[in-house]
Amino acid sequence: AALQRFRHEIATDYLDIVLLHCMQTPKWEQQMAPYMDMLSEAKEKGQVRAAGVSCHNLEALKRAAKSPWVDVILARINPKGAKTDGKPDQVVPVLKEAKANGKAIIGMKIYGEGTLANMKTECIRYAQGLGLLDCMTVGAESTDQMDETLRLVAEYPAKV
């Protein structure tokens, strides 16, 4: 019912991506099975193009990297491991595995939920240099901050 409502509200026949939010345990597949089944059915009907998860635990992220059900992972990543699922040397290998398994990866917490706002250049250069992110979500409190991020993204193009 929620998918139908969302499609109606935004006047579309399908949603590009639907994510199950905040997986915090490696047993999330068992816990979320009914929702996963519903999203799989919606994909079969063409109502959803891709499904996935956002992870807030390293073991949950590891499971998502392996899960055949997951198309997309929303992953917390930055050069200092601020507000992420582990240190970069723990998270990056999992993201590499996810990419090798055909997952799209959306980076989040690029500025560590603002705790790394004093090192935006390093954060964007790091995220773009990984060669793993298909896109990223970056918070901003003003258009000037967003303009700064866009300038940095242009200055440091994504590694291919």
Side-chain angles (χ1 to χ4, degrees):
L3 285 179
Q4 183 175 339
R5 187 188 96 217
F6 295 142
R7 288 186 302 115
H8 176 74
E9 287 176 3
I10 60 176
T12 187
D13 294 331
Y14 64 89
L15 301 172
D16 287 310
I17 301 171
V18 177
L19 300 176
L20 300 176
H21 181 54
C22 201
M23 301 303 104
Q24 296 182 333
T25 170
K27 296 183 181 200
W28 63 262
E29 287 174 299
Q30 293 88 349
Q31 296 166 341
M32 303 306 282
Y35 303 101
M36 292 167 64
D37 291 345
M38 181 270 309
L39 286 170
S40 293
E41 183 178 317
K43 279 178 62 177
E44 289 174 16
K45 292 178 179 177
Q47 298 170 342
V48 171
R49 288 190 174 176
V53 294
S54 71
C55 294
H56 290 71
N57 170 279
L58 185 59
E59 295 306 314
L61 182 63
K62 288 177 181 178
R63 187 61 218 132
K66 291 174 176 32
S67 173
W69 181 83
V70 171
D71 301 312
V72 180
I73 298 173
L74 181 61
R76 304 185 297 175
I77 186 71
N78 60 60
K80 299 293 184 185
K83 309 285 184 174
T84 66
D85 300 322
K87 295 178 181 176
D89 65 344
Q90 296 172 300
V91 174
V92 169
V94 180
L95 298 182
K96 285 181 179 178
E97 179 183 5
K99 279 308 260 192
N101 289 336
K103 315 307 181 198
I105 301 175
I106 303 169
M108 70 172 162
K109 307 295 186 207
I110 303 300
Y111 297 147
E113 215 171 89
T115 62
L116 305 177
N118 63 331
M119 50 186 292
K120 289 180 182 176
T121 299
E122 183 180 344
C123 291
I124 294 295
R125 184 176 35 213
Y126 178 80
Q128 294 284 79
L130 289 170
L132 297 170
L133 304 183
D134 295 285
C135 62
M136 65 179 92
T137 175
V138 180
E141 295 178 341
S142 70
T143 55
D144 287 343
Q145 288 178 353
M146 187 51 64
D147 288 344
E148 178 184 18
T149 294
L150 292 172
R151 180 188 56 74
L152 289 169
V153 167
E155 187 174 337
Y156 301 99
K159 180 180 169 186
V160 181

